[in-house]
């Protein structure tokens, strides 16, 4: 059974409802929105004409309604309801509500500007411009590469999220959203270890994959740009940069990636090669860990982007990982649980804390 203090509350237009049979909230550094799903079932045996309103009739929430989701008293998502589903017969009634954070509409919409040109603008300026019509805030985490793009246009009809992801790779930035309506540009950053996850202690279950399928020994990037008086010949038409894997015991293999955008400097080429290395090497370790309850150390919701030290001899883990995704659920069988998808910190553009003077959060 859920703990009494771990209640899920949906607030819509000032109305609160917390009598849920199933709750799920998902927040992921890598998705264009946070997501929630609530289900409620009517418990009255029969609804009689003129009698008290059953719970399902109070749930007159509909798609488009703005809402806030609170878990254990902490704000977990601000967004809107996207789907309402009702099922009933003579003996039972049920309502399911599905919603997303405010970045969802912008992420699926096409880039729409007067010219479609972003020449001589950096990635942060472009993000501000393409997200502005949707009332979405733009926040940066860590140090971004703000080198302007020499020549850049979006493809006709290209979704905002896809466009931003395409150009962010050239600047070594990861994309994410937070649960409160902000688009995130994630540059190189550090994060302290906030907790230890220990086999036989606070880990309920763990599934760990150590996978080198998409890890390459070397990453080559090829590109070209328009020639000019001071930038011509092979300097413009045959640009190349290489980065080597940081994962040990990788057999010879090579990935060649062409850059779509016009690239003017060798530094830009090398930055993209370094990003391809981080992107692929970062998939080497993926651990899905389930813990009891929603609160970390009993003081705050678990959060994407946080670092944890995982000690699990069975999974061959005694290392610092970063939380990419958190999924909060609650039902009458398992109670309140949190599922943490943990990855190598570099996949989220982060450095392990022991690389910056910490102890790696050893347990």
């Amino acid at each position: 059974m859920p703990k009494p203090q771990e209640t899920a509350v949906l607030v819509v237009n000032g109305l609160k409802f917390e009598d849920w049979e199933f709750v799920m909230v998902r927040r992921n550094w890598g998705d264009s929105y946070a997501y929630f799903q609530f289900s409620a079932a009517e418990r009255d045996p029969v609804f009689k004409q003129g009698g008290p309103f059953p719970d399902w009739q109070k749930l007159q929430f509909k798609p488009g309604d703005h809402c806030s989701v609170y878990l254990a008293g902490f704000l977990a998502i601000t967004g809107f309801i996207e789907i309402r589903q009702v099922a009933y017969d003579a003996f039972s009634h049920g309502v399911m509500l599905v919603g997303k954070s405010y970045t969802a509409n912008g992420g699926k919409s096409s880039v729409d500007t007067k010219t479609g040109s972003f020449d001589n603008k950096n990635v942060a300026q472009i993000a501000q411009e393409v997200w502005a019509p949707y009332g979405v805030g733009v926040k940066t985490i860590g140090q971004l590469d703000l080198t302007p793009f020499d020549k850049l246009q979006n493809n006709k009809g290209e979704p905002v999220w896809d466009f931003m992801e395409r150009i962010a790779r050239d600047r070594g930035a990861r994309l994410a959203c937070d649960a409160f309506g902000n688009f995130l540009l994630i540059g190189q950053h550090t994060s302290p270890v906030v907790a230890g996850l220990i086999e036989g202690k606070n880990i309920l279950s763990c599934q760990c994959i150590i996978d080198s399928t998409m890890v390459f020994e070397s990453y080559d990037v090829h590109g070209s740009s328009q020639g000019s008086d001071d930038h011509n010949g092979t300097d413009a038409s045959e640009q190349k940069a290489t980065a080597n894997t940081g994962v040990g015991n990788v057999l010879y293999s090579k990935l060649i990636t062409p850059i779509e955008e016009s690239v003017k400097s060798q530094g830009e080429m090398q930055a993209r090669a370094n990003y391809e290395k981080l992107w692929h090497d970062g998939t080497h370790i993926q651990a899905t860990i389930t813990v009891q309850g929603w609160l970390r150390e009993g003081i705050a919701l678990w959060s994407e982007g946080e670092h944890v030290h995982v000690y699990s001899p069975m999974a061959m883990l005694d290392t610092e990982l970063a939380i990419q995704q958190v999924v909060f659920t609650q039902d009458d069988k398992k109670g309140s649980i949190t599922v943490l998808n943990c990855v190598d910190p570099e996949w989220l553009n982060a450095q392990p804390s022991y690389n910056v003077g910490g102890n790696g959060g050893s347990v």
Side-chain angles (χ1 to χ4, degrees):
M1 293 295 291
K3 297 179 181 179
Q5 66 271 30
E6 291 191 337
T7 58
V9 179
L10 180 66
V11 181
V12 183
N13 301 324
L15 300 176
K16 299 180 180 180
F17 195 88
E18 59 184 60
D19 188 16
W20 304 103
E21 286 202 330
F22 174 77
V23 173
M24 191 271 279
V25 172
R26 185 187 70 217
R27 309 191 316 194
N28 186 327
W29 264 19
D31 287 346
S32 60
Y33 56 83
Y35 172 95
F36 66 83
Q37 178 181 325
F38 286 17
S39 297
E42 171 52 41
R43 296 179 177 82
D44 292 346
V46 178
F47 172 62
K48 297 180 179 179
Q49 184 68 28
F53 287 140
D55 291 342
W56 68 275
Q57 286 196 314
K58 297 175 186 176
L59 280 175
Q60 298 303 306
F61 306 150
K62 60 187 182 301
D65 281 348
H66 294 242
C67 63
S68 299
V69 177
Y70 291 84
L71 300 179
F74 292 90
L75 181 62
I77 291 181
T78 56
F80 61 95
I81 295 171
E82 190 169 57
I83 300 172
R84 171 187 170 92
Q85 180 175 319
V86 176
Y88 68 89
D89 57 24
F91 306 101
S92 62
H93 312 83
V95 176
M96 182 177 73
L97 301 173
V98 175
K100 297 174 180 176
S101 61
Y102 289 124
T103 51
N105 284 333
K108 73 178 182 181
S109 297
S110 298
V111 176
D112 187 17
T113 64
K114 289 183 179 180
T115 65
S117 173
F118 302 93
D119 296 354
N120 300 314
K121 294 181 179 179
N122 64 49
V123 67
Q125 292 170 327
I126 295 167
Q128 292 283 357
E129 185 172 347
V130 298
W131 284 99
Y134 308 101
V136 172
V138 176
K139 291 186 175 182
T140 62
I141 294 176
Q143 186 66 41
L144 290 178
D145 179 351
L146 297 179
T147 303
F149 289 90
D150 182 39
K151 301 290 183 182
L152 177 65
Q153 286 192 325
N154 67 280
N155 298 319
K156 195 71 173 180
E158 189 173 18
V160 170
W161 183 267
D162 293 356
F163 172 60
M164 287 304 309
E165 186 173 53
R166 175 163 63 88
I167 67 172
R169 289 192 177 205
D170 291 341
R171 295 297 179 261
R174 288 299 308 264
L175 303 190
C177 72
D178 65 19
F180 314 112
N182 296 299
F183 171 74
L184 305 181
L185 280 168
I186 305 172
Q188 289 293 316
H189 67 284
T190 59
S191 183
V193 171
V194 298
L197 297 174
I198 306 170
E199 182 179 312
K201 184 176 179 182
N202 57 355
I203 295 178
L204 292 182
S205 65
C206 173
Q207 178 180 351
C208 178
I209 301 174
I210 300 176
D211 183 2
S212 62
T213 301
M214 294 307 296
V215 176
F216 296 83
E217 194 276 334
S218 67
Y219 301 91
D220 281 9
V221 172
H222 295 186
S224 63
S225 60
Q226 295 179 353
S228 63
D229 290 342
D230 60 349
H231 181 69
N232 51 58
T234 57
D235 287 341
S237 63
E238 299 180 15
Q239 294 174 300
K240 177 181 175 181
T242 299
N244 294 319
T245 184
V247 175
N249 199 33
V250 175
L251 300 178
Y252 176 74
S253 50
K254 177 183 285 189
L255 178 68
I256 298 176
T257 302
I259 295 184
E260 298 179 22
E261 314 309 329
S262 176
V263 179
K264 196 140 191 182
S265 73
Q266 185 62 27
E268 292 179 72
M269 295 292 299
Q270 191 61 54
R272 178 58 187 268
N274 293 343
Y275 182 81
E276 290 299 322
K277 168 194 172 299
L278 292 177
W279 180 273
H280 289 84
D281 283 8
T283 65
H284 183 55
I285 297 176
Q286 299 182 61
T288 302
I289 296 173
T290 301
V291 297
Q292 192 69 54
W294 292 337
L295 301 180
R296 170 179 56 78
E297 309 288 339
I299 58 175
L301 293 173
W302 291 95
S303 183
E304 60 278 29
E306 293 180 334
H307 289 201
V308 293
H309 188 96
V310 180
Y311 177 72
S312 174
M314 184 73 70
M316 296 198 307
L317 292 177
D318 183 7
T319 189
E320 180 178 338
L321 297 177
I323 300 173
Q324 180 197 352
Q325 176 178 274
V326 292
V327 180
F328 305 101
T329 61
Q330 185 182 84
D331 58 32
D332 59 0
K333 295 180 180 178
K334 296 182 179 179
S336 306
I337 62 172
T338 304
V339 179
L340 308 170
N341 286 1
C342 302
V343 297
D344 192 305
E346 69 176 349
W347 204 64
L348 300 181
N349 261 356
Q351 291 293 320
S353 62
Y354 56 75
N355 283 352
V356 290
N359 63 6
S362 59
V363 295

